[in-house]
Amino acid sequence: MSVPLWFFVACLAVLGVKFVRPPLWLVVVLLIGGYFLAPLFEPFVK
């Protein structure tokens, strides 16, 4: 069974927020930072 990477990361994020309960500002910073930093890491992932 092949699971898309974005779905796996989304599931981990939902479980992390549910069980760890990080502050909302930290979640927002990670989402925005990941969105803007993703193009820098893309060549290394592929």
Side-chain angles (χ1 to χ4, degrees):
M1 184 172 126
S2 179
V3 178
L5 179 61
W6 64 267
F7 183 72
F8 178 71
V9 171
C11 289
L12 285 180
V14 168
L15 289 175
V17 168
K18 185 175 182 178
F19 290 115
V20 178
R21 296 279 188 195
L24 184 60
W25 65 266
L26 181 60
V27 174
V28 171
V29 167
L30 288 175
L31 285 174
I32 293 173
Y35 180 77
F36 287 113
L37 294 177
L40 296 176
F41 295 109
E42 189 174 356
F44 301 111
V45 174
K46 288 188 176 185

